[in-house]
Amino acid sequence: MIEVLPVRTSLLRASLSRPAAAALLAIAVAAAGLGPAAAPAAAATIPAGSGSYTDTRPAGASGPTTDTGAPVTPKLTAAARDKPVPTNDWWSSLAYQRYGDNPYSTPMYGHPLTYRAKASGLEVGYPTAPVITGDGRQYEYAHRADLTVGLSGLDSPDTKADAWSDWTVTPYWADGSRTFRATIGHGMPFVYAKGSGGDARVTTASAPTVFADDGNVLGITVAGHHYALFAPTGGDWNVSGSTITAGLGSKDYFSLAVLPSTDALATYRKYAFSFVTGSRVAWQTTGGTVRAVYTLTTEAKEGSERGTLQALYRHQWRNTTDPLTPYTYVSPRGTMKVRESASFTTSQKNNGVLPALPASGGVDRARLTGYLDEVAGAADPFSGASDTYWTGKALGRLAQLVPVADQIGRTATRDKLLGLMKGRLQEWFTAGGASGFSYDKDWKTLTGHPASYGSDTELNDHHFHYGYYVYAAAVIAQYDPAWAADSAWGAMVGHLVRDTANPSRTDAAYPFLRGFDVYAGHSWASGHQGFAAGNNQESSSESVNLSAALVLWGSATGDTSLRDLGSYLLTTESEAITQYWFDADQQVFPASFGHDTVGMVWGSGGAYSTWWTANPEEIHGINVLPVTGGSLHLAREKAAIRRNIAEMERENGGPAQEWRDLLWEFESLADPAAAKAKWDAGNTGYTPEQGESRAHTYHWLATLDSLGAPDTTVSGDLPTSAVFAKNGTRTYAAHNYGSTARTVTFSDGKTLSVPARSTATGTGAGGGPDPGEPGPSTGNTFRLASGGVLTTATNGPAGTDTLASADGVNRDGTPYRPTVYEIRKVDGKVAPGAATAFRLRVDAGRTVGLAPQVRVGYDLTGDGSFDRTETFRYFATDPVAGWEEYTQAVGVREAAGSLGDLRNGTVRLEIWNALGNGASQVQTGTDAAVLRIPYGE
């Protein structure tokens, strides 16, 4: 019997993949066999409010299996056996043995390091060169072992998960004579090893080059990558060919680190014995801002040092004001920057969620009524859906129309739709029928039956599927709070939340944030992570759908902690989507990858593909659907939306046809008038996408055409609020789920009074035209923006970036650890007589003898090779705190190549310290952080 646990908790994490026909990827993906199911034992029905679930799968159903269909249970040590294992993670193959002949793991992508467990220990790699595969559709920084860390003689029959925390894991090896553990994690340049029964052993892929040897500290270079090995004090590393060993004496620990450069050894040595023992994120949503603190816990194995070094992903360092070192790493997510501390904090504007777009004068009520009647009067409003995914899609389709019908006074239609949703959810929430949920005590997960896309046999996609159910329940709760009570149907909703997004680390029934990777910033879809390219997520927007559902369900039921969890998940994943799926700043995808978006993110990179088709409409649309009041966050990067739509139409050979409704809605987040015009010209004779309806598409497009696109520069102090802007007028909207009126305050100072259980709108001045796609078509002058971007926008925040030390070596003329600013896809004609110009403000503080230097490069066709480079003379700073101005007036030191017209080209500015032994600063985001190129229209 399963213990019935409290359900009103907050949750986190998500799942992935929709493995249908063929994967169209350049990696092998094994076919998933369902295999024979064991005969069910006598099922127990566990009550949950008015609903129930079972502790036994239905006859004929299967749980998690290997690729050949053999049942599989978690691969854990005795110490971890009773803990809920977080499937759908970057390291899940340690615990989920997907392949019968691999009891260790598939490649795991922690970044900057990659790993793979094998009998003799842990392979460690640092891939720095991307490979383009699959006819140009995929880029990969694939795992390739530089070295293997373990113990002399270690030959373990398997590797198990021994311990884990929010973004770290400790695998375990044992062969009867030796035991070995290695703690690894996201953003960790170190591997922390503990073992018994043998000497520390590191085997390199080729004979290493030793660049430092100081007894227990050894610096080696393998395959062009620099590593430091740290044995206990008193130990000594012995190098024999490609085998390196050190006795541990009476100790049981040693460590290694990948170095950003050989001169970083002294810094990394300080933290070699400050062993990471855990990781934890804490989030808070207040006043329209989401803050998160990421903390590593450590143990001093020698001395008293408890600090450490962490590499931050792009979505993290763009949103922190914490000091960072000049050290960087390469990763599939762009540059990672190193922080010298055990914690860092990020802060972002809260991406608001609305139950529906607000009422507007742009909607023809009679026309909308007709479209609503089409859905409500359909012979089968669920379109034959029977499994968890397609039932969820059908529920989501109806849920979007309930507040729309209510908005125009069609209460009968509203109530009919609510009745349909309640009926179908109650069928699923009651054990014993044709559909329902069962609990797996081994994997500690709740699975819906009939299942789909491996949600049962591979534990895939629970967040995709169940997000629709939670969203539908939130809409019902808005109109019928009694239905949502724990004593009624809310208890079953709570189980779905706990299965997919559990905020509790002490819940014995479900893991913490099953599929949401708090450090990577997004969810993973595969339950087992059994791929050479690591884990993956295709439909990032369906992951966001769950987060938006948590905001609405928490708001409707008065659970503010759950609501705020949803805000944290949505805001965090929104930034990850912006950077890693859409490459909004054009700083993540390799220059040789010829796409502006990816349909799937993998641990090793990204792919312009889906699991089931190469059709561009689906590749672009899969990260848009479902379009809801939780989709407004996408409007933050309007230029990226325009590029996305333009690429889709190029690849498609014309405008969208099959998924035209979704892509119209997506385009409307940047260009409402253009999207509405496409609807006006093409709204007859098309079949809505399965989760869409003409009623919702028309309401969405007509509303945004009337109010303008979302203005994400302004946020409200209520998570269920949003702002729209058109022609200098902002429209403020908010929904108040509370029983009393409240005032919502927006970040631009506007206030809005919202009655109880109502949506209200108001207007005010603001929200000028969007700056659009940067490039010489809108000017030839760019600002340096933090994040490595050159942009024509002039409304970005002011900031500073750190220029790395020259480390006491003369770097005049040769970029050394430069800070790089870049813009891609630039068109322009050379302006006769013009020359490159720049105006920068730099500051060396009180450090003597520093000299920032600039090089500007022009890649005329965007092929990755720079046709023209201009290196300017360095600027000698003074040792007085305060900004000094550095311009092109210093003169050109060296120029190579020739200028020509830019056609889809790239412009890059590099700045570094050419002299001295200290870091300096450069301003960003101001009129004194400017590059002007010699081009015109």
Side-chain angles (χ1 to χ4, degrees):
M1 177 69 72
I2 309 297
E3 179 186 2
V4 180
L5 300 173
V7 295
R8 189 43 52 79
T9 60
S10 309
L11 306 145
L12 178 69
R13 255 190 205 185
S15 160
L16 162 74
S17 79
R18 194 177 281 95
L24 300 171
L25 300 170
I27 57 175
V29 178
L34 297 184
T45 297
I46 296 92
S50 297
S52 56
Y53 59 97
T54 70
D55 64 358
T56 305
R57 287 184 289 271
S62 180
T65 66
T66 66
D67 63 320
T68 60
V72 63
T73 56
K75 188 160 57 81
L76 308 175
T77 63
R81 190 162 296 145
D82 295 328
K83 298 177 182 177
V85 61
T87 56
N88 313 75
D89 214 333
W90 67 272
W91 56 265
S92 295
S93 61
L94 283 170
Y96 190 139
Q97 185 176 340
R98 178 64 175 162
Y99 308 105
D101 61 351
N102 181 3
Y104 303 104
S105 81
T106 53
M108 301 172 289
Y109 293 81
H111 307 141
L113 292 173
T114 61
Y115 316 95
R116 186 173 73 92
K118 60 181 186 179
S120 59
L122 183 70
E123 287 184 354
V124 179
Y126 173 40
T128 54
V131 175
I132 309 301
T133 63
D135 296 326
R137 288 178 169 266
Q138 183 169 356
Y139 76 89
E140 286 193 288
Y141 292 79
H143 169 71
R144 183 175 181 178
D146 287 340
L147 49 84
T148 300
V149 56
L151 301 176
S152 295
L154 180 64
D155 186 18
S156 178
D158 59 22
T159 307
K160 297 181 173 73
D162 182 57
W164 53 85
S165 59
D166 289 9
W167 62 88
T168 67
V169 65
T170 302
Y172 173 84
W173 294 255
D175 63 6
S177 301
R178 288 158 287 268
T179 64
F180 180 65
R181 292 173 173 85
T183 297
I184 55 179
H186 276 315
M188 286 170 45
F190 284 92
V191 175
Y192 304 96
K194 295 182 68 175
S196 64
D199 292 343
R201 183 185 65 181
V202 174
T203 306
T204 57
S206 58
T209 299
V210 175
F211 66 83
D213 188 351
D214 187 16
N216 69 319
V217 178
L218 185 72
I220 61 172
T221 301
V222 181
H225 303 140
H226 310 301
Y227 292 89
L229 312 182
F230 304 99
T233 298
D236 190 18
W237 292 100
N238 176 62
V239 181
S240 176
S242 60
T243 300
I244 306 171
T245 57
L248 297 178
S250 61
K251 309 298 185 183
D252 65 351
Y253 56 84
F254 63 101
S255 67
L256 66 85
V258 61
L259 303 179
S261 58
T262 56
D263 61 328
L265 177 58
T267 299
Y268 280 63
R269 183 174 187 166
K270 288 166 52 180
Y271 304 107
F273 301 113
S274 178
F275 272 42
V276 168
T277 57
S279 57
R280 190 180 186 96
V281 63
W283 57 87
Q284 182 182 47
T285 301
T286 54
T289 299
V290 175
R291 289 183 175 84
V293 181
Y294 299 83
T295 302
L296 294 173
T297 55
T298 61
E299 173 189 6
K301 290 294 185 181
E302 294 185 7
S304 59
E305 180 61 64
R306 296 287 299 275
T308 190
L309 295 157
Q310 318 183 56
L312 277 61
Y313 283 117
R314 181 176 180 82
H315 76 276
Q316 295 168 325
W317 57 255
R318 277 175 47 85
N319 293 289
T320 187
T321 58
D322 292 340
L324 303 175
T325 73
Y327 299 126
T328 62
Y329 290 103
V330 174
S331 87
R333 311 292 179 251
T335 300
M336 300 182 79
K337 297 189 177 184
V338 176
R339 170 137 167 92
E340 192 171 4
S341 175
S343 70
F344 63 91
T345 301
T346 61
S347 180
Q348 296 172 255
K349 279 190 171 67
N350 190 0
N351 290 295
V353 178
L354 293 175
L357 294 184
S360 78
V363 173
D364 182 327
R365 294 193 172 205
R367 186 176 189 181
L368 180 57
T369 296
Y371 290 145
L372 286 167
D373 290 344
E374 286 180 9
V375 178
D380 179 10
F382 291 92
S383 305
S386 61
D387 64 37
T388 50
Y389 181 70
W390 292 103
T391 296
K393 292 268 289 185
L395 286 166
R397 179 172 176 260
L398 300 181
Q400 296 310 310
L401 299 182
V402 170
V404 170
D406 186 56
Q407 196 176 92
I408 62 170
R410 304 295 294 181
T411 55
T413 300
R414 175 201 69 192
D415 293 344
K416 182 174 183 179
L417 295 171
L418 285 169
L420 290 168
M421 293 158 57
K422 289 179 182 178
R424 187 55 59 97
L425 283 173
Q426 288 166 200
E427 289 176 15
W428 278 86
F429 289 168
T430 304
S435 55
F437 290 90
S438 69
Y439 182 82
D440 187 317
K441 64 179 176 59
D442 293 322
W443 288 97
K444 294 182 170 45
T445 186
L446 196 71
T447 303
H449 305 280
S452 47
Y453 305 116
S455 60
D456 52 353
T457 57
E458 301 178 56
L459 299 184
N460 294 338
D461 299 354
H462 283 206
H463 64 318
F464 290 168
H465 298 203
Y466 301 170
Y468 288 107
Y469 290 68
V470 178
Y471 204 116
V475 171
I476 294 171
Q478 181 179 338
Y479 295 93
D480 186 356
W483 184 93
D486 285 348
S487 58
W489 300 97
M492 281 301 296
V493 178
H495 275 286
L496 298 188
V497 173
R498 290 165 70 199
D499 182 73
T500 54
N502 193 349
S504 172
R505 297 177 180 85
T506 58
D507 189 337
Y510 298 100
F512 172 69
L513 299 178
R514 179 182 301 280
F516 192 88
D517 187 327
V518 297
Y519 204 90
H522 59 81
S523 298
W524 297 111
S526 170
H528 51 73
Q529 185 258 312
F531 304 98
N535 215 323
N536 69 96
Q537 177 162 261
E538 183 181 59
S539 184
S540 61
S541 47
E542 284 181 303
S543 179
V544 166
N545 187 51
L546 171 63
S547 302
L550 298 180
V551 173
L552 298 182
W553 174 254
S555 297
T557 59
D559 188 343
T560 56
S561 63
L562 185 62
R563 178 201 67 187
D564 292 349
L565 168 65
S567 292
Y568 163 70
L569 299 182
L570 194 158
T571 300
T572 303
E573 190 151 23
S574 174
E575 181 69 13
I577 293 166
T578 293
Q579 298 299 328
Y580 311 141
W581 274 260
F582 296 160
D583 194 14
D585 296 331
Q586 298 179 294
Q587 296 294 308
V588 173
F589 298 167
S592 52
F593 180 64
H595 295 282
D596 288 322
T597 190
V598 294
M600 306 174 72
V601 161
W602 288 86
S604 65
Y608 187 77
S609 183
T610 72
W611 278 105
W612 80 99
T613 181
N615 184 358
E617 295 185 35
E618 279 84 347
I619 293 171
H620 289 258
I622 194 60
N623 286 292
V624 176
L625 65 81
V627 176
T628 74
S631 304
L632 304 178
H633 72 99
L634 293 170
R636 189 173 72 253
E637 297 291 346
K638 294 177 173 59
I641 293 175
R642 296 185 184 105
R643 286 199 303 272
N644 195 305
I645 294 295
E647 180 181 23
M648 184 278 296
E649 292 185 348
R650 287 196 307 271
E651 296 285 333
N652 204 44
Q657 298 298 318
E658 295 177 23
W659 279 10
R660 66 181 77 176
D661 44 3
L662 286 173
L663 292 163
W664 289 337
E665 291 170 306
F666 183 42
E667 185 172 10
S668 72
L669 295 171
D671 291 312
K676 179 61 162 49
K678 289 180 179 179
W679 158 271
D680 290 340
N683 68 75
T684 59
Y686 82 95
T687 301
E689 188 272 333
Q690 294 96 321
E692 264 297 334
S693 63
R694 281 186 177 82
H696 181 257
T697 302
Y698 170 68
H699 179 266
W700 183 274
L701 296 174
T703 300
L704 292 184
D705 185 47
S706 176
L707 302 181
D711 182 353
T712 58
T713 66
V714 181
S715 60
D717 63 0
L718 183 68
T720 50
S721 62
V723 181
F724 308 86
K726 181 178 181 180
N727 298 331
T729 299
R730 285 186 174 130
T731 298
Y732 303 81
H735 186 85
N736 176 14
Y737 284 88
S739 58
T740 59
R742 67 160 293 165
T743 297
V744 178
T745 300
F746 292 85
S747 57
D748 63 352
K750 173 72 175 181
T751 59
L752 180 67
S753 179
V754 189
R757 303 192 184 283
S758 301
T759 295
T761 60
T763 60
D770 181 74
E773 179 74 359
S777 60
T778 58
N780 62 355
T781 302
F782 303 93
R783 282 193 178 188
L784 281 62
S786 289
V789 176
L790 292 173
T791 177
T792 55
T794 58
N795 57 355
T800 60
D801 282 343
T802 300
L803 308 182
S805 170
D807 295 327
V809 177
N810 187 331
R811 314 287 183 178
D812 183 17
T814 303
Y816 176 69
R817 288 159 56 191
T819 299
V820 180
Y821 303 88
E822 187 175 274
I823 184 169
R824 301 179 186 176
K825 302 186 185 302
V826 178
D827 294 328
K829 293 182 179 296
V830 175
T836 302
F838 59 87
R839 179 189 179 202
L840 304 176
R841 283 184 181 155
V842 294
D843 180 24
R846 300 187 184 279
T847 306
V848 176
L850 303 191
Q853 188 166 29
V854 160
R855 181 170 74 178
V856 178
Y858 299 91
D859 173 359
L860 301 180
T861 60
D863 64 358
S865 66
F866 282 81
D867 304 277
R868 169 76 171 180
T869 59
E870 301 172 6
T871 304
F872 291 82
R873 294 188 176 95
Y874 61 70
F875 176 77
T877 56
D878 62 34
V880 179
W883 296 108
E884 300 177 83
E885 199 154 287
Y886 176 26
T887 75
Q888 79 286 345
V890 297
V892 175
R893 179 188 187 278
E894 181 181 12
S898 300
L899 287 173
D901 291 348
L902 285 160
R903 292 288 179 264
N904 202 41
T906 298
V907 178
R908 174 185 294 172
L909 183 148
E910 301 167 273
I911 181 169
W912 68 98
N913 278 312
L915 302 173
N917 203 351
S920 59
Q921 304 286 318
V922 63
Q923 278 189 11
T924 60
T926 72
D927 59 3
V930 172
L931 169 69
R932 188 174 71 243
I933 63 175
Y935 286 84
E937 298 289 345

